Amino acid sequence: VNDAPELISEIPDIESDEDDSNYTLDLSSYFLDIEDGSGENLTYSIETISNLTNIVNVSIETPILTIDFLPNKYTVGEGTITVKSSDSDNGNVLSSFNLLVNSINDIPVIDNIPVPGTQAIVDSLYEFFIDPQNTDVDDYQFNYSVLTAPAAGPYNIQASENNEYGI
C-alpha cells in the first residue's frame, strides 16, 4: 500500500517588492513521504498559478522552487501558487501559498540633461526639456528645482503647453 506524501509544514505566504531578486524555496522542508524517506526524494511540480501573469515566472528544479520577478513596468499584484508533491508510486499532495508583490516608488531617471560645459549664447534663449515620465511608472507628478544655479544670469523653470518642463 502506497502512502501519499504528507505536508509536514504549510508553505508560508511570501511578500516581496517589485524588482526583487529571485526568491528560492526548498520544498523538501515542507513535504515528507514514508516510503521514499525525506522530501528530497519526491518530485515537485507547479499545479496552478493564479493572478500572477506578467508579474513572476515560477519554476521548479526539484526540490528548489524559484520565483523570478519580471522586470516589466509596474509588475505588482497578489496571487496563489499551488505546488504538487508526488512520490515514486504516483501518490501526491497539493499545497498552496499566496504571493504578494508590492509596488515600490521607483526613482525617476532624467537622461537628457545637457553635457556639462555646454555654452549658451548671450542674449539668446537656451532651453532643454526634462521628461522623467518615460522612466517613472509610479508617478507623473514631479517637483523641480535647480540645485546649482547658473553662475551668471537668471533662470526659470516653466511648463510648456505639452506639459513638458524646461529651464
Side-chain angles (χ1 to χ4, degrees):
V1 173
N2 178 44
D3 292 321
E6 296 177 32
L7 181 66
I8 56 173
S9 178
E10 291 290 328
I11 299 174
D13 292 340
I14 299 170
E15 184 173 345
S16 188
D17 293 330
E18 65 176 314
D19 303 326
D20 269 356
S21 299
N22 289 357
Y23 184 91
T24 59
L25 191 66
D26 185 346
L27 295 173
S28 67
S29 301
Y30 302 97
F31 297 93
L32 177 68
D33 187 58
I34 299 297
E35 291 88 15
D36 291 335
S38 70
E40 293 176 7
N41 296 319
L42 296 170
T43 302
Y44 301 97
S45 59
I46 304 295
E47 188 72 11
T48 59
I49 301 174
S50 65
N51 301 325
L52 295 168
T53 304
N54 299 323
I55 297 174
V56 295
N57 281 332
V58 182
S59 61
I60 296 177
E61 210 169 298
T62 298
I64 304 298
L65 178 137
T66 300
I67 299 171
D68 178 21
F69 298 92
L70 299 175
N72 303 333
K73 290 183 177 183
Y74 199 67
T75 52
V76 298
E78 183 173 9
T80 303
I81 299 171
T82 301
V83 176
K84 180 178 182 180
S85 173
S86 303
D87 64 16
S88 58
D89 291 324
N90 295 322
N92 61 69
V93 63
L94 301 175
S95 180
S96 297
F97 64 95
N98 295 315
L99 172 63
L100 172 63
V101 181
N102 297 310
S103 176
I104 59 170
N105 186 10
D106 296 315
I107 297 171
V109 175
I110 300 173
D111 59 5
N112 63 334
I113 294 178
V115 177
T118 300
Q119 296 182 1
I121 299 172
V122 175
D123 294 327
S124 295
L125 177 64
Y126 174 77
E127 64 183 358
F128 67 93
F129 293 99
I130 303 168
D131 184 18
Q133 294 183 17
N134 293 328
T135 62
D136 190 348
V137 298
D138 303 312
D139 196 357
Y140 293 114
Q141 298 294 318
F142 301 99
N143 296 315
Y144 298 96
S145 62
V146 174
L147 297 179
T148 305
Y155 66 91
N156 186 19
I157 299 175
Q158 64 186 43
S160 73
E161 59 188 54
N162 296 328
N163 216 17
E164 298 173 314
Y165 284 81
I167 297 177

